[in-house]
Amino acid sequence: MSDDEALPGHAAQNRAIWDDRYSEWFRSRAAQQWAAEPHWGIWATPESDLHVLPELSGKDVIDLGCGTAYIGAWVMRAGGRAVGIDNSAEQLATAAALQQEFGLVFPLIHGNAEKVPLPDNSFDIAISEYGASSWCDPTLWIPEAARLLRAGGQLIFLRNSTLLELCTAPDADAAGDRLSRPYADAARIDRPDGGTHFQLPTGPMIKLLRESGFLIEELTEFVVPADAHSDYEYVSSEWASTWPSVEVWKATRQ
């Protein structure tokens, strides 16, 4: 399934960047993600340590900004029913190939998670790991997640920490040990590569979630062990073992 409507400017630009620049690198890692036990964030922290997932058996789950859709594979193995939506056709092509390879087939939608072409009250769980939570406008995708969820449904998302973004200067390749960005500027970050990254700070995010009909259950700011490893270069293990680089949010639709 694909969207035919014109995308907002930031979404169109992000789509082009993911299709043209990022997909090859993610494609090289995708099969490993599909085969692995659930793990989270840029540090691949095991589910047994971070406790992100609720009970999935029998649940309808949508992954907002699913990328190569490995979370959907985890959901299916746990007895849930998965749907993935992503802005990048290249990412979804990889996901579709892996569905056939692993024998785990579920719906994939080519579209913008800020406007999902599915009915209200369709899901028990909405999840995003650096997908919609990082690349979509939260004033659009958070209310959209609320629309898609049934009463009592759970929204779970992971993103970079606001502190990490504030310590990353606009022209820097990695976070430093000083605040390098104005607090107000973190809400929308226009990246040097032309993409747009969103990092609504904690207070405004709490306000938005509440206004969208969510009860906030948990915010985990995760500090990693000193020997943690990441394939991403924008934050070092030294930094991330001193300050939190990952946020895990959980909220329930009222």
Side-chain angles (χ1 to χ4, degrees):
M1 186 183 299
S2 177
D3 66 334
D4 295 319
E5 298 183 13
L7 293 171
H10 66 271
Q13 186 64 23
N14 286 343
R15 173 178 286 185
I17 287 172
W18 276 92
D19 280 347
D20 296 342
R21 301 184 191 180
Y22 296 156
S23 286
E24 183 175 353
W25 188 77
F26 280 88
R27 188 181 300 117
S28 69
R29 307 171 69 248
Q32 296 177 3
Q33 297 278 60
W34 271 67
E37 293 298 313
H39 57 277
W40 302 103
I42 60 174
W43 305 101
T45 305
E47 165 68 15
S48 57
D49 290 344
L50 208 47
H51 306 293
V52 172
L53 294 173
E55 174 62 46
L56 296 174
S57 181
K59 300 295 179 64
D60 295 305
V61 183
I62 186 166
D63 185 357
L64 299 169
C66 66
T68 56
Y70 52 86
I71 291 176
W74 301 343
V75 170
M76 296 288 284
R77 290 194 190 102
R81 295 177 292 271
V83 174
I85 180 169
D86 200 83
N87 200 16
S88 168
E90 293 293 326
Q91 294 280 83
L92 292 180
T94 298
L98 289 168
Q99 286 188 335
Q100 298 304 315
E101 179 179 338
F102 285 85
L104 294 168
V105 178
F106 49 90
L108 298 172
I109 302 170
H110 183 214
N112 178 14
E114 297 167 353
K115 189 175 182 180
V116 179
L118 292 173
D120 298 357
N121 308 312
S122 294
F123 295 96
D124 304 299
I125 300 166
I127 191 164
S128 180
E129 183 197 33
Y130 300 103
S133 56
S134 296
W135 297 95
C136 290
D137 183 342
T139 66
L140 299 176
W141 84 263
I142 294 285
E144 184 69 343
R147 182 187 71 80
L148 292 167
L149 284 169
R150 300 170 182 133
Q154 193 167 23
L155 172 63
I156 303 166
F157 61 95
L158 288 83
R159 64 177 190 168
N160 289 339
S161 72
T162 298
L163 182 60
L164 173 60
E165 297 293 354
L166 293 174
C167 289
T168 305
D171 58 350
D173 294 327
D177 63 357
R178 298 290 186 274
L179 297 175
S180 301
R181 185 188 300 276
Y183 190 75
D185 289 358
R188 174 175 173 144
I189 300 170
D190 293 318
R191 296 159 57 99
D193 61 9
T196 300
H197 180 94
F198 294 91
Q199 185 74 31
L200 194 65
T202 304
M205 178 60 81
I206 290 172
K207 183 173 185 290
L208 176 60
L209 286 164
R210 288 173 58 88
E211 290 177 345
S212 299
F214 286 105
L215 175 65
I216 298 164
E217 302 286 356
E218 185 178 331
L219 167 59
T220 300
E221 298 174 295
F222 193 61
V223 177
V224 303
D227 60 353
H229 171 74
S230 173
D231 293 331
Y232 300 84
E233 297 179 351
Y234 62 84
V235 58
S236 68
S237 58
E238 180 181 6
W239 196 102
S241 64
T242 306
W243 301 291
S245 61
V246 179
E247 294 176 0
V248 184
W249 292 74
K250 298 181 181 182
T252 300
R253 177 74 166 89
Q254 299 186 84

